Amino acid sequence: MARRIGQANEGALLAEPTVNPYEPTQPATFDVESVSLRFDGVIERADYQRMLPRGEREWWLCLVLAVLLGICIVVFGPASVLYAISKGQPLVGLGLTAFWTLMLAGWWFLKRRISANDRATRYLTLYPDVLGTAQGEFTTGGLCFHDGVHTYWFGPQHLVRTAISADGMRVHVDASAHRYLALSARMFDAFNADPANQLKRHWRTLAETPAMAENPQGVELWNQISQPPAEAIPFRGSATTEIPLRTPAFRNRALMESGSLLFIAAILIIARDRLESWMFWGGVLLIGHCMITSNLNWWNYFSRTYHQSWYQSGWLSPQEFAICTGHAGVRMPLSEIVQKSEYPDQILLTQRSGQSYRILRQMVDTDEQWQRLWALQLGNEACSST
């Protein structure tokens, strides 16, 4: 997304009010309707890494476990193996070597969970489009974001998850906690967290205000962004689709369950002669639990789907495509659509990134417009199926 950003706009300079050091400090207040935060720059890996979210409890737990595990590996690992060999028990030494190798693998996994550099590498492999140049503006109507090819609108309800700090603003693109725009403070002419927080409070108020699906809060900004040309073919209506659970996050969860099963089983096999009976049978029960949850997770990953419904509106022209789904929208050149699949009652458009958009027959007003949409050519990469 952010690697294709347009030209720069001038930023708005927001001056902080003068504070008398001899009087009690009061929170800065702003006329929220006049607040406008403009940004222009390049989202770099360092920006993304610096704004990585983390659960404090999970982070501290992983850190403590990594330290303890590292001490055990360094201190007790070589000593236990050498002791077993010196006592003439090479098989025991081999088993201990395998055990401490598993411990080392666990330590490496914990290190990847803790290290910001490793986490950034892992997530950017999944979401490389969040890096690049970025230009846009925050207002009471939401965020207008340009990447040189696409123009995005994120409405107030979408922006309530935005994190604001002295480093800048972290804007989540979708439901994933790790797919976000890391808008660093250096990208703003003069970043001030006070008006940013004022805007966020306003977005939250709007998000809590009931609105119709076809007219969400802040849609006026989207209407300005998406003014259609005269030859555009409009569409609007509700859509439902089945979404599989075959996602990286669910796969990683299933892998962790399977890894835990193998890890516990290895410990029981290696140390079965040294464990108390209650410890051994407790481990067996834990293995049974892990087997059940692991099988359920893999079954869900390969077989389960869930239904998702939404309201969408937009238009197509021979040059552009615009669509708004719920609380966010995008406008792009039609050249970004690389595949067009035609069915009797719907048309499926697929973007370069793999994102697909479904337009149903009942969303188009007239047969003439549907025929024009059906006949619309999208270049050499377009295909059709019946």
Side-chain angles (χ1 to χ4, degrees):
M1 173 187 298
R3 66 177 58 187
R4 304 177 298 271
I5 308 299
Q7 300 299 319
N9 281 347
E10 292 296 327
L13 183 62
L14 294 171
E16 295 183 325
T18 302
V19 177
N20 186 338
Y22 299 102
E23 294 180 357
T25 302
Q26 298 293 332
T29 58
F30 302 86
D31 179 7
V32 69
E33 295 296 334
S34 66
V35 172
S36 173
L37 299 177
R38 297 181 183 178
F39 56 90
D40 171 34
V42 179
I43 300 177
E44 300 175 349
R45 177 194 167 91
D47 301 317
Y48 181 89
Q49 181 172 318
R50 184 168 59 254
M51 294 189 186
L52 271 172
R54 71 186 185 194
E56 291 297 328
R57 293 181 180 178
E58 178 187 358
W59 187 84
W60 278 108
L61 177 62
C62 290
L63 180 61
V64 171
L65 289 176
V67 171
L68 293 176
L69 195 56
I71 293 174
C72 290
I73 292 172
V74 172
V75 176
F76 299 110
S80 62
V81 174
L82 291 175
Y83 179 79
I85 295 176
S86 67
K87 292 297 183 178
Q89 297 178 331
L91 292 179
V92 175
L94 183 61
L96 288 171
T97 300
F99 174 77
W100 290 113
T101 301
L102 287 174
M103 293 295 101
L104 186 62
W107 180 85
W108 176 82
F109 175 77
L110 286 175
K111 183 255 185 186
R112 282 179 56 85
R113 296 283 293 179
I114 296 171
S115 170
N117 182 64
D118 288 337
R119 294 171 66 212
T121 299
R122 184 165 68 250
Y123 295 130
L124 287 176
T125 300
L126 297 174
Y127 313 121
D129 56 343
V130 299
L131 298 182
T133 53
Q135 182 264 326
E137 181 180 11
F138 291 95
T139 65
T140 55
L143 167 63
C144 178
F145 180 84
H146 305 277
D147 68 4
V149 176
H150 307 78
T151 299
Y152 294 91
W153 167 70
F154 298 108
Q157 186 158 344
H158 189 102
L159 294 175
V160 293
R161 296 175 60 205
T162 299
I164 301 170
S165 68
D167 290 331
M169 301 177 69
R170 183 180 70 221
V171 180
H172 291 273
V173 175
D174 53 25
S176 171
H178 300 104
R179 188 171 184 229
Y180 57 84
L181 304 172
L183 302 176
S184 176
R186 62 177 173 75
M187 299 174 62
F188 297 81
D189 281 354
F191 182 73
N192 188 331
D194 288 333
N197 282 308
Q198 186 95 352
L199 274 177
K200 184 175 179 179
R201 287 191 291 270
H202 181 74
W203 296 331
R204 185 177 292 112
T205 300
L206 291 179
E208 294 171 352
T209 303
M212 299 178 64
E214 57 269 32
N215 191 33
Q217 300 291 351
V219 75
E220 297 83 4
L221 178 59
W222 166 249
N223 291 335
Q224 296 174 18
I225 295 171
S226 62
Q227 283 294 324
E231 69 275 15
I233 305 169
F235 60 86
R236 67 187 65 82
S238 298
T240 302
T241 188
E242 288 188 353
I243 300 179
L245 292 180
R246 194 173 298 185
T247 63
F250 212 90
R251 180 197 61 208
N252 293 339
R253 178 178 172 182
L255 287 173
M256 287 183 63
E257 290 285 351
S258 300
S260 300
L261 172 64
L262 295 176
F263 180 73
I264 297 171
I267 292 178
L268 291 182
I269 292 172
I270 294 172
R272 63 182 181 276
D273 295 332
R274 297 174 176 80
L275 295 176
E276 298 288 340
S277 60
W278 67 270
M279 297 174 64
F280 178 81
W281 289 111
V284 171
L285 291 176
L286 189 57
I287 287 177
H289 171 74
C290 289
M291 288 181 64
I292 295 173
T293 56
S294 179
N295 289 333
L296 285 175
N297 282 329
W298 283 116
W299 182 82
N300 288 334
Y301 178 75
F302 285 109
S303 304
R304 286 282 303 279
T305 61
Y306 67 94
H307 290 84
Q308 186 176 31
S309 299
W310 68 94
Y311 182 89
Q312 67 181 35
S313 62
W315 50 265
L316 287 96
S317 75
Q319 293 79 33
E320 290 183 289
F321 172 54
I323 184 170
C324 178
T325 56
H327 311 288
V330 60
R331 179 174 181 168
M332 70 185 81
L334 202 60
S335 58
E336 286 295 296
I337 304 297
V338 297
Q339 181 171 319
K340 176 187 176 189
S341 300
E342 299 169 351
Y343 303 91
D345 60 345
Q346 63 182 292
I347 291 177
L348 187 67
L349 305 176
T350 304
Q351 198 178 345
R352 293 183 187 275
S353 64
Q355 173 70 47
S356 295
Y357 304 97
R358 190 183 307 272
I359 303 176
L360 305 180
R361 169 62 188 89
Q362 61 263 30
M363 295 181 180
V364 181
D365 292 336
T366 66
D367 290 336
E368 184 271 335
Q369 290 176 334
W370 178 252
Q371 293 302 321
R372 285 172 54 201
L373 183 59
W374 187 279
L376 197 62
Q377 296 298 316
L378 302 178
N380 296 329
E381 294 181 284
C383 69
S384 64
S385 60
T386 58

